[in-house]
Amino acid sequence: MPEARPSALTGQKIVIVGAGLAGTLCAIMLAQRGARVEIIERQTFDPTDDYSNRRSFNITVSSRGEAAMKAAGIWDRVKARTIPITGRTCHEGLGSTFFSYSPDRSVALHGARRSDVNGELLAAAAEHEGITVRFGWTLRDLDKASGAVTIAPVAGDGPAETIRDADFVIGADGVYSAVRRFIHRGERADFTQRYLDWNYREIAIPAGTDANHPWLMDPHALHVWPRGDLMMFALPNPDGSFTGNFIYPCAKEADFAAIGLVGEMFRREFPDVAALVPDAEERLRVTPPSYFPTQRNSKWSHGDRFVLVGDAAHATVPFYGQGMNSAFESVLELVACLERFPRSERARAFEAYQTARKPHTDAVADLSIENFDELRSRFRHVVPQARRRVEILLNRLLPNAFVPLHVKVSHSLEGYRTAIDACARRDRILRWFGFDLLVYAVAGVGLAGTALHRVWHGGTGLSEHLAQGRAVAAAHVEAETLMPVDPSTERPA
């Protein structure tokens, strides 16, 4: 059993509602500091189960999530269940183009099934004598004054129980948090939940038959198929399969009821995926739709008895790959605040935690929605590609002075809000020196050169020249790759 170290949390009993990623990491870090933790989880978890088609994107661990798991001493065991993602492959109608995250592919995100990471966290939690997990129990009610929580078996085959001896309760029960709903009841709490006008359905791309190399696509890339209103992502799994997510306007939900309609569309828009998954329509039709909520609220805690963490406090869409990473940063901040303030000032600790984290979680939520628009439609347009190419040039010439936003977000520990504001100030200054004119010049030269080359070599129409120009511009965007930030030189938000 791992030994706990003395801290301000030693001897306290803490109830955590939710055994997901944030809740389990939080339990581990609290138990390491001498707390007794009881986790209440409505689901059951069997590591031998098949967790495919469980309505969840695969996750990517960035520098932020890695730093949090290193702080908890569990990164090595989680890393063993991941696969390095060293770049992005864009699948255009004319082929595919790989964009590397670094010149030598040494900078990587770490992709994994959510259930694999959650399983390792739960296994690590089980090794702590101070952690108890009660699967199959749900929160029935809570008393905001006394801090008592009433729980009941999900199956309904037993009486409800009330836990009265907890020092405080952490709500880590996700975007539809029951803890949040109860502590907001009767309070002046602002709450918004916005859904994108798109749904998604998971589709598994199977492994190949070559036992030495079972992946049928690049196993170290995030694969993206941008098709305007339609889109697909696929992330590799260590077993050779890929977890794909088909994204479509929610208005097209009725199309799944018409046999043949989705299959025809899928074969037309994603022929390379359809070739790997011949029964794609059948798989998609039996998979329930999932949605893209963004949740914000003004009240992350109540007094000194209840506090929210992870998606319960700040849920974002997955299009910057920061949901879990942001949640893990929040866990680090919450634990740090609990250690910094004495037990008698726990309410201040909760307030300090929200004050420190909310500007950054709101910022990354906005950024994730903007990136979705970029990925699904504008990604293929020549001007954004030219802008990216100019950014790469500036980054190579001035690696310490010019760091692109996506590098700051995914490959550093700089606060989201801080990084976004700094890049916005820098871009405003660059515009005074003709940055936009340079971007348009690069876009025009690339497009015109490609079109002339195609005309010179004969045989295609103008529309195809333009399409080829976009593809070639995309191919050059990250051919010369970025100088990455060294995460060890950064400090957490």
Side-chain angles (χ1 to χ4, degrees):
M1 292 285 182
E3 291 187 7
R5 63 175 176 81
S7 79
L9 292 159
T10 298
Q12 295 189 46
K13 178 175 179 178
I14 303 163
V15 171
I16 298 178
V17 181
L21 299 171
T24 310
L25 178 68
C26 195
I28 292 169
M29 298 193 75
L30 293 170
Q32 289 172 339
R33 288 155 176 79
R36 294 176 296 119
V37 184
E38 186 168 353
I39 305 177
I40 308 301
E41 171 56 48
R42 64 176 292 110
Q43 304 291 337
T44 58
F45 185 88
D46 183 345
T48 65
D49 277 356
D50 177 11
Y51 282 84
S52 60
N53 286 334
R54 292 298 180 94
R55 306 172 70 175
S56 175
F57 270 58
N58 273 25
I59 59 176
T60 54
V61 183
S62 73
S63 297
R64 302 168 191 276
E66 181 179 334
M69 286 187 276
K70 283 181 177 177
I74 58 173
W75 170 236
D76 287 342
R77 67 189 300 165
V78 171
K79 184 180 180 181
R81 302 296 298 274
T82 70
I83 187 167
I85 308 296
T86 59
R88 179 178 62 220
T89 295
C90 179
H91 296 260
E92 296 281 357
L94 301 166
S96 62
T97 305
F98 177 78
F99 305 140
S100 179
Y101 293 147
S102 64
D104 56 358
R105 297 185 69 157
S106 61
V107 171
L109 302 172
H110 298 274
R113 292 187 178 96
R114 183 177 296 269
S115 58
D116 287 347
V117 176
N118 214 155
E120 288 298 330
L121 291 174
L122 286 167
E127 296 171 3
H128 286 271
E129 190 175 49
I131 298 177
T132 302
V133 185
R134 299 181 66 173
F135 291 110
W137 288 77
T138 186
L139 180 67
R140 179 71 60 80
D141 200 357
L142 57 80
D143 186 322
K144 290 194 289 186
S146 69
V149 292
T150 300
I151 61 175
V154 173
D157 55 359
E161 297 182 17
T162 299
I163 302 172
R164 304 183 187 278
D165 60 343
D167 287 272
F168 64 96
V169 177
I170 298 175
D173 47 343
V175 64
Y176 305 112
S177 169
V179 176
R180 183 185 65 233
R181 185 175 69 250
F182 283 127
I183 68 173
H184 281 189
R185 187 170 55 190
E187 305 290 337
R188 291 178 59 85
D190 294 327
F191 172 80
T192 61
Q193 188 163 279
R194 172 193 172 190
Y195 289 88
L196 295 181
D197 290 331
W198 280 263
N199 298 343
Y200 73 92
R201 296 187 186 222
E202 183 178 301
I203 181 167
I205 300 173
T209 56
D210 184 347
N212 295 319
H213 191 83
W215 298 276
L216 299 177
M217 300 184 294
D218 186 341
H220 300 296
L222 162 64
H223 294 265
V224 184
W225 290 261
R227 299 292 187 269
D229 277 352
L230 302 173
M231 190 174 190
M232 262 202 67
F233 287 97
L235 277 165
N237 296 309
D239 63 4
S241 67
F242 287 78
T243 300
N245 293 99
F246 170 48
I247 301 168
Y248 55 93
C250 57
K252 290 186 176 291
E253 193 62 56
D255 291 355
F256 289 89
I259 295 176
L261 191 60
V262 171
E264 179 185 353
M265 175 276 302
F266 204 85
R267 288 187 293 272
R268 181 181 67 250
E269 299 291 345
F270 312 109
D272 48 349
V273 181
L276 301 176
V277 191
D279 60 343
E281 178 174 11
E282 289 76 11
R283 295 191 186 199
L284 288 168
R285 291 185 69 203
V286 300
T287 302
S290 295
Y291 314 109
F292 294 116
T294 297
Q295 180 270 123
R296 308 171 200 253
N297 76 87
S298 64
K299 189 175 178 62
W300 289 15
S301 63
H302 179 80
D304 64 351
R305 294 289 191 169
F306 298 94
V307 66
L308 305 173
V309 74
D311 282 356
H314 51 80
T316 184
V317 295
F319 299 110
Y320 226 109
Q322 292 299 304
M324 181 206 70
N325 296 287
S326 177
F328 280 7
E329 279 196 322
S330 291
V331 169
L332 283 179
E333 184 65 38
L334 174 60
V335 173
C337 288
L338 288 169
E339 287 194 290
R340 189 162 69 245
F341 289 86
R343 184 181 306 194
S344 60
E345 297 183 26
R346 190 185 302 123
R348 286 186 60 202
F350 292 164
E351 292 169 1
Y353 152 66
Q354 178 174 341
T355 299
R357 287 297 298 153
K358 186 169 171 54
H360 300 292
T361 58
D362 285 351
V364 78
D366 291 335
L367 192 63
S368 298
I369 293 172
E370 292 170 8
N371 201 47
F372 171 60
D373 292 334
E374 182 77 18
L375 285 170
R376 74 178 179 83
S377 56
R378 293 192 299 272
F379 182 81
R380 294 179 292 173
H381 294 178
V382 67
V383 172
Q385 299 295 353
R387 184 180 303 277
R388 180 88 166 109
R389 190 176 179 187
V390 172
E391 287 181 347
I392 290 167
L393 175 62
L394 290 173
N395 177 248
R396 290 183 67 83
L397 292 173
L398 305 166
N400 295 321
F402 188 96
V403 180
L405 177 59
H406 79 92
V407 177
K408 287 175 174 281
V409 168
S410 296
H411 304 293
S412 84
L413 303 181
E414 186 174 354
Y416 297 120
R417 180 76 272 164
T418 307
I420 292 169
D421 289 346
C423 287
R425 287 193 300 270
R426 179 197 65 201
D427 291 348
R428 284 196 297 269
I429 294 171
L430 287 174
R431 289 191 186 98
W432 282 97
F433 291 93
F435 179 77
D436 287 345
L437 293 176
L438 180 58
V439 169
Y440 291 132
V442 171
V445 169
L447 188 58
T450 303
L452 288 172
H453 180 269
R454 295 298 180 185
V455 170
W456 183 260
H457 288 83
T460 57
L462 179 59
S463 62
E464 188 170 347
H465 300 330
L466 297 176
Q468 293 281 2
R470 287 195 297 268
V472 172
H476 284 86
V477 166
E478 292 183 44
E480 293 186 316
T481 47
L482 295 163
M483 301 298 292
V485 168
D486 179 1
S488 66
T489 65
E490 301 287 336
R491 296 184 63 81

